[in-house]
Amino acid sequence: MIDLLYFAWVRERIGLDGETLPCPAGVATVADLLDWLSDRSPAHTAALADRSAIRVAVDQVFAGPGTPVTAGCEVAIFPPVTGG
Amino acid sequence: MIDLLYFAWVRERIGLDGETLPCPAGVATVADLLDWLSDRSPAHTAALADRSAIRVAVDQVFAGPGTPVTAGCEVAIFPPVTGG
Amino acid sequence: MIVTRVQAASFDAAAEITVLTAGRSNIGAVVSFTGLVRGDDALVSLTLEHYPAMTERALSAIAAEAEARWPLMGGIVIHRVGRLLPGDPIVLVAVASAHRAAAFAATEFLMDWLKTKAPFWKAEAREGGTTWVAARDSDEAAAARWRAAD
Amino acid sequence: MIVTRVQAASFDAAAEITVLTAGRSNIGAVVSFTGLVRGDDALVSLTLEHYPAMTERALSAIAAEAEARWPLMGGIVIHRVGRLLPGDPIVLVAVASAHRAAAFAATEFLMDWLKTKAPFWKAEAREGGTTWVAARDSDEAAAARWRAAD
C-alpha cells in the first residue's frame, strides 16, 4: 500500500485529504506515480495538469521526479510552499 | 576664534576636552590646522602623530584634509568612531 | 541551540526575544524577524495550512543547517498555523550570536529557507472568496543566494 | 519615520519593537538588531563617549538616508552612552516595512552606518586598565557595501 496526502489547492481540486492505495504496477518513481494518478479521475487530471506547479515529498522529505516510490511510503503532493 | 574639541584618546593624550584659540595665521584647511596644532605642545605632537588614526569634523560634519577651517567654526578631532 | 515551534496560538515576539539573552553576558548581537499579516486589498483573514508530519522535520533541518553555517548562541523559530487576522504575527525568527554579521546572516537564511523549504501554504480570504497565495520567484531567488556559498 | 534617541538609561528592546506595530495592520515585516556588551576577556565595564552636538545630527542623517533608500513604515534607533556592564544593551535598531527584504536591508544599513558614521567611542575597562576599542576594518568594509548601490 501507499499513503497519498494532498495539501492546499491540490487537496481542494482532488476533493480528498488523501487516499491509501495498493502500490500501482509499473510505478517506481515519483514521476511514474504522478502519471498514473493523473488518469485516476477527472479531478486528479485537473489537479495534476500543470506539473511545474506540483511539488512532492516522499516520507516527509522533498522529492524529485526520479525519487523512488515503494510500498509503505507516504507520498505528499502539494503546490509550491508559501509559508514564512 | 576657533573652537577645538577632543574626544576619546585624542582627548586623553592632549589632556584637554578642548580649547578655544585665535584663528592661526596661514591655516585655511583641516590639514593646515592639524599641522599647526601638532607643534603646539609635546602632548599635541604625540596625539596627532599618526595622522591615519585621526578623524575630524567641522561644524559637526565629517571633514577631509581639504575642508576649509574659518573663524567661528567648531572643529572636533578624534579617533575613528567605534559605536554601534 | 535553535528551538522550533509550530502553533495555532499567537506569540509574544518581544518576550521570546528577551528570553534569548536573559542572564547571559557572552552574546553581542540579537537579530529578530517578525512576519505579520498585512491587511492589503481588503483581506479578511489568512489561513495557514501545513503538513504536520513533515513540518517539524523540515524546521529542525533548517535550524540545524543554520547552526552548521554560523556560530550561534541560541535562537527561536515560531511559525503559526490556522486562521489569522490582519496585524497578527505569523512567524518569528530570532538568533543570538557573538557578532552581528552571523546574527543577520542566520536570520535572513532561516527566513529564506522557511519561505521555500517548509510545508506551509497560505490562503487569503476576501469578500469575493478565498485564493491560495502563489509562490514568488523572488523567494526562490532569495533562497538560492545561500547555495552559492556551499 | 525613524525615531532616534541617545540616552544613558537602559532600554527595553522588546517594548520598543512592540510599539512599532501596535494598532497597525499594513506592516508585513519587522526586523530588529540589539547590540549587547560582551563580557569577553574578563571585561569589567564598557564606557561609551560621544560628541553630543554631532550625535543627534549624525543619527538623523543616517535615519533619513535609510528612509530615502527603502520604503519603511517606521523604525527606531536607540544608542546608549556612559558606563555599561556585560550583558547590558548598547544599541537597538528596529525597522518596519511591508516586505522583509527592505526591513532586513534597512536594519543592516543602519547598523553599518552607526558603526562608521556616528561619533561614539568605546573604552573597555579590565583589571589591568582601560583601553580604547580600535575601529575594525570589517566595519568599514560592511559600510562600504552600501556605497556600491549608490
Side-chain angles (χ1 to χ4, degrees):
Chain A
M1 305 295 281
I2 185 167
D3 279 318
L4 296 171
L5 298 172
Y6 308 129
F7 292 97
W9 55 252
V10 173
R11 170 177 56 72
E12 289 184 344
R13 288 182 196 172
I14 293 180
L16 295 168
D17 285 346
E19 43 195 330
T20 301
L21 302 172
C23 237
V27 166
T29 65
V30 164
D32 296 341
L33 179 68
L34 292 177
D35 289 342
W36 180 85
L37 262 184
S38 291
D39 292 334
R40 197 167 148 74
S41 80
H44 287 79
T45 308
L48 305 177
D50 178 6
R51 212 57 67 83
S52 74
I54 294 295
R55 298 292 180 275
V56 175
V58 174
D59 289 338
Q60 297 99 43
V61 174
F62 280 105
T67 302
V69 170
T70 54
C73 68
E74 178 176 294
V75 180
I77 303 174
F78 44 74
V81 302
T82 57
Chain B
M1 304 296 281
I2 186 165
D3 281 318
L4 295 171
L5 299 173
Y6 308 130
F7 293 98
W9 56 252
V10 173
R11 172 177 55 73
E12 290 183 343
R13 288 183 197 172
I14 293 181
L16 295 169
D17 285 346
E19 43 196 330
T20 300
L21 302 173
C23 236
V27 166
T29 65
V30 164
D32 296 339
L33 178 69
L34 292 176
D35 289 342
W36 180 85
L37 261 185
S38 291
D39 292 333
R40 197 167 149 74
S41 81
H44 286 81
T45 307
L48 304 177
D50 178 5
R51 211 58 65 86
S52 73
I54 295 295
R55 298 292 180 275
V56 175
V58 174
D59 289 338
Q60 300 100 44
V61 174
F62 281 106
T67 302
V69 170
T70 55
C73 68
E74 177 176 293
V75 179
I77 304 176
F78 44 75
V81 301
T82 57
Chain C
M1 173 68 191
I2 300 176
V3 175
T4 64
R5 300 207 313 254
V6 180
Q7 61 190 49
S10 192
F11 56 80
D12 181 347
E16 301 289 348
I17 296 165
T18 302
V19 167
L20 284 183
T21 55
R24 304 186 63 172
S25 64
N26 57 348
I27 291 172
V30 176
V31 172
S32 78
F33 174 88
T34 310
L36 304 118
V37 180
R38 270 180 295 122
D40 291 359
D41 305 322
L43 182 85
V44 173
S45 68
L46 183 75
T47 297
L48 274 144
E49 177 172 328
H50 76 132
Y51 173 12
M54 180 172 173
T55 311
E56 295 207 18
R57 239 177 124 148
L59 294 191
S60 297
I62 291 167
E65 181 70 28
E67 288 178 325
R69 290 182 183 224
W70 293 280
L72 305 180
M73 306 174 85
I76 178 124
V77 172
I78 303 176
H79 204 299
R80 289 179 73 191
V81 292
R83 186 167 178 274
L84 309 180
L85 301 177
D88 281 351
I90 305 171
V91 61
L92 172 71
V93 171
V95 158
S97 185
H99 300 287
R100 78 183 191 286
F104 272 117
T107 305
E108 286 203 69
F109 169 86
L110 285 163
M111 276 310 303
D112 289 341
W113 276 35
L114 276 178
K115 289 259 180 196
T116 54
K117 296 178 193 290
F120 295 97
W121 299 273
K122 291 191 183 107
E124 296 178 336
R126 294 192 169 80
E127 282 282 324
T130 296
T131 51
W132 291 96
V133 172
R136 299 192 314 171
D137 290 343
S138 61
D139 287 331
E140 274 300 332
R145 288 185 293 172
W146 306 103
R147 243 171 268 147
D150 283 353
Chain D
M1 174 69 192
I2 300 177
V3 175
T4 65
R5 297 206 316 251
V6 180
Q7 61 189 51
S10 191
F11 56 81
D12 180 348
E16 301 290 348
I17 296 165
T18 302
V19 167
L20 285 184
T21 55
R24 304 186 62 171
S25 63
N26 56 348
I27 290 171
V30 176
V31 171
S32 78
F33 174 87
T34 310
L36 304 119
V37 181
R38 270 179 296 121
D40 292 359
D41 306 322
L43 183 85
V44 174
S45 67
L46 183 75
T47 298
L48 274 144
E49 177 172 329
H50 76 132
Y51 174 10
M54 181 174 173
T55 311
E56 295 207 19
R57 238 177 124 149
L59 295 190
S60 296
I62 291 168
E65 182 69 29
E67 288 178 325
R69 290 183 182 222
W70 293 281
L72 305 180
M73 306 173 84
I76 179 125
V77 172
I78 303 176
H79 204 300
R80 289 179 73 190
V81 292
R83 186 167 179 274
L84 309 180
L85 301 176
D88 281 351
I90 305 170
V91 60
L92 172 70
V93 171
V95 158
S97 185
H99 300 286
R100 79 184 190 285
F104 272 117
T107 305
E108 285 203 70
F109 169 85
L110 285 163
M111 277 309 303
D112 289 341
W113 275 36
L114 276 179
K115 289 257 178 199
T116 55
K117 295 179 194 288
F120 296 97
W121 300 273
K122 291 190 183 108
E124 296 179 335
R126 295 191 168 79
E127 282 281 325
T130 295
T131 51
W132 291 97
V133 172
R136 301 192 313 171
D137 290 344
S138 61
D139 287 333
E140 274 299 331
R145 287 185 293 171
W146 305 103
R147 243 170 269 144
D150 283 353

